[in-house]
Amino acid sequence: MQQILSNHYIKDIKIDSLQCKPVPANRGFNSTVLEIIVSYNDKLCGETRQLDLVAKIQPPDDALMGISKQLKLDIVEINFYNIILPQLEKLVKEHAKNESELKIQLPTCIYAKREDTTGASVVLMLDIRPQGFEEQSYMMGPGLTKQEFAMVVGEVAKIQAIGYAVKEFMPDKFESFDLWTDALREFVKKRTGSGQTDESTKMGIHAWNLCLDHHKPEGVDDKEAFVKWLSDCSANLAASLREGVQNISGPAVTLNHGDVHSSNLYMKYANRGSPGFRDTPTDICLFDWQGYRIGHVGWEMGWLLFTSVEAINYLEYLQFGQEHWLEMIMHYRRLLGVSGTLTAESTYKTKEWKTALLTSASMLFNLIAMGLKDGLETEMVNQIMTRVINIYKNREIFS
């Protein structure tokens, strides 16, 4: 640790003590996260100072490790911090009318590396919680408020607008920015073949059948119709992913974070009251860039909606979010000097946008298969099942 910090953050740092503890497992699926507190002597003032860090290392079990390797999640994130992010920042500096407004909000990465011989990887970042940022809760806590949702949608629009700038000003670089797409292409090919039901889908449907045999979820009156809907969703997922990874040049295709949900968000708030009181958000920070990829602009909206919003608000937030997204992405495109215009008719009023939303719902359904290893009664699996049932009960938003 001393050598890493000395070489990449504070030259010749002398560490006095180091504390390390794991973050609770419900923070996410695909990494083990460690909180690290470093005490060191500041040579300029002679005082002892504290450095708060977060380290992401290998997933906690073999099953998740296998998925991470197949999708090259650690490689994608390390590539993002070391190669892609500096180029995006350089592009913004060269083309933006207001560079500060187009700064991508994410934690400072001090060190990111993967050992080719062992496959071990680490991403070391500054912990931003001491700066007043608060972490959200993945599928467990209350849904985002409308103000929080608007702030996230604006940040998504910023990232996607920068992606459009890459397409226009660095067209030869655009596809090379996306390691995840190649990995996904192979992943989908192996799991879906020529369109037949893949193993993940079979496991997911089996899990749902077991669940529905023991429980009668509210809103699911016809078990066979519900399971058929799930099967159709999964078939749509396979087709959409195959098409999505091939349609790199499509007008609604740009760079995306790829996994925007409440657990990957940190927010600051104004006039903070008592613990647990949610006030006006003033700042946002996105992390976990393992899924950074090229894709349809609607993917992010669907994933954010279905993972991070209460079901009762789906339609209201979707209608508001689409309009706000279009306003913000055009604002950022203009700041970057990107030519052309996006309209409601060319984006969220198209069949492709609805398909992108359904693809996001289908991906959530397929997470059920990942949860089978822990048993159907685990809190996370039950939360995912509840959200999928809520999507089913509100499926008119896809029509």
Side-chain angles (χ1 to χ4, degrees):
M1 179 64 74
Q2 182 159 303
Q3 182 178 353
I4 290 174
L5 292 177
S6 180
N7 291 341
H8 299 276
Y9 193 61
I10 302 175
K11 185 173 177 61
D12 299 326
I13 186 174
K14 299 297 182 183
I15 295 177
D16 295 328
S17 66
L18 186 149
Q19 301 175 45
C20 181
K21 65 178 182 179
V23 173
N26 65 357
R27 275 288 298 114
F29 280 116
N30 295 316
S31 299
T32 296
V33 182
L34 304 175
E35 296 177 2
I36 302 172
I37 300 176
V38 176
S39 295
Y40 68 99
N41 183 265
D42 189 325
K43 293 188 296 184
L44 292 178
C45 64
E47 296 180 354
T48 298
R49 296 192 180 277
Q50 178 175 303
L51 186 61
D52 297 278
L53 306 171
V54 173
K56 292 179 61 179
I57 57 176
Q58 248 61 30
D61 58 49
D62 292 339
L64 293 178
M65 177 78 79
I67 292 174
S68 179
K69 285 184 176 180
Q70 287 183 69
L71 288 174
K72 302 180 181 178
L73 297 179
D74 58 339
I75 297 176
V76 170
E77 185 161 36
I78 290 169
N79 184 72
F80 172 78
Y81 280 115
N82 290 339
I83 300 174
I84 295 175
L85 182 59
Q87 294 186 68
L88 296 181
E89 291 175 335
K90 182 174 183 290
L91 181 146
V92 168
K93 188 172 183 178
E94 291 175 349
H95 293 276
K97 296 177 181 177
N98 186 343
E99 184 181 346
S100 62
E101 192 174 346
L102 279 152
K103 178 177 174 57
I104 300 175
Q105 299 290 95
L106 74 172
T108 299
C109 180
I110 295 173
Y111 181 76
K113 188 173 182 180
R114 183 179 189 272
E115 292 290 345
D116 293 333
T117 53
T118 64
S121 63
V122 62
V123 176
L124 185 66
M125 300 171 287
L126 292 183
D127 188 346
I128 60 175
R129 288 174 297 180
Q131 303 172 30
F133 283 93
E134 301 178 22
E135 59 185 322
Q136 308 299 307
S137 179
Y138 181 64
M139 297 187 188
M140 301 293 189
L144 296 175
T145 66
K146 201 167 186 178
Q147 288 178 310
E148 291 169 337
F149 185 74
M151 180 164 279
V152 181
V153 169
E155 192 66 17
V156 165
K158 181 196 301 181
I159 295 164
Q160 293 177 336
I162 293 173
Y164 278 113
V166 174
K167 288 180 80 171
E168 180 158 335
F169 303 125
M170 305 167 62
D172 57 322
K173 294 271 190 179
F174 182 66
E175 188 169 355
S176 68
F177 272 21
D178 187 10
L179 289 178
W180 198 88
T181 295
D182 289 335
L184 177 62
R185 184 180 288 113
E186 292 303 313
F187 186 72
V188 171
K189 182 178 179 181
K190 289 178 182 178
R191 294 168 73 87
T192 63
S194 59
Q196 299 175 349
T197 304
D198 61 74
E199 289 304 313
S200 176
T201 300
K202 291 177 182 177
M203 292 175 65
I205 292 175
H206 176 65
W208 278 103
N209 277 314
L210 288 177
C211 175
L212 296 172
D213 285 342
H214 293 88
H215 306 283
K216 182 73 172 176
E218 183 181 351
V220 181
D221 299 321
D222 187 334
K223 173 184 171 181
E224 290 185 3
F226 178 55
V227 172
K228 182 180 185 303
W229 178 79
L230 293 173
S231 300
D232 292 343
C233 279
S234 193
N236 168 79
L237 172 63
S240 295
L241 291 180
R242 280 196 298 268
E243 179 182 352
V245 299
Q246 295 166 359
N247 189 24
I248 299 299
S249 61
V253 173
T254 184
L255 301 178
N256 293 278
H257 175 279
D259 195 16
V260 177
H261 57 69
S262 55
S263 185
N264 284 339
L265 305 174
Y266 276 61
M267 287 188 178
K268 278 186 179 180
Y269 296 86
N271 304 318
R272 202 57 162 154
S274 59
F277 177 75
R278 302 171 77 185
D279 205 336
T280 305
T282 59
D283 206 354
I284 185 175
C285 195
L286 284 178
F287 64 102
D288 198 359
W289 293 78
Q290 294 178 329
Y292 183 77
R293 64 183 182 266
I294 293 171
H296 190 282
V297 288
W299 283 11
E300 299 274 53
M301 180 72 73
W303 190 244
L304 175 65
L305 186 75
F306 299 133
T307 59
S308 309
V309 171
E310 297 293 341
I312 193 173
N313 295 323
Y314 280 170
L315 186 58
E316 178 189 353
Y317 277 40
L318 178 60
Q319 292 174 341
F320 162 76
Q322 290 173 160
E323 295 174 0
H324 181 61
W325 167 83
L326 183 58
E327 177 185 349
M328 295 305 297
I329 197 168
M330 284 307 302
H331 169 69
Y332 290 126
R333 281 169 58 109
R334 285 191 291 269
L335 288 180
L336 285 161
V338 176
S339 60
T341 300
L342 297 178
T343 65
E345 288 69 28
S346 66
T347 54
Y348 63 81
K349 290 187 177 180
T350 63
K351 179 182 177 181
E352 290 75 20
W353 181 278
K354 299 292 186 183
T355 299
L357 296 180
L358 187 56
T359 298
S360 299
S362 306
M363 293 177 76
L364 186 62
F365 155 61
N366 272 262
L367 287 178
I368 293 297
M370 295 172 58
L372 283 176
K373 62 182 179 58
D374 296 322
L376 288 176
E377 297 307 316
T378 61
E379 186 178 7
M380 181 65 75
V381 172
N382 287 335
Q383 285 285 338
I384 296 173
M385 286 186 167
T386 298
R387 289 192 179 274
V388 173
I389 291 170
N390 286 335
I391 294 169
Y392 176 72
K393 289 160 63 176
N394 293 275
R395 59 192 180 279
E396 69 273 8
I397 65 176
F398 302 119
S399 59

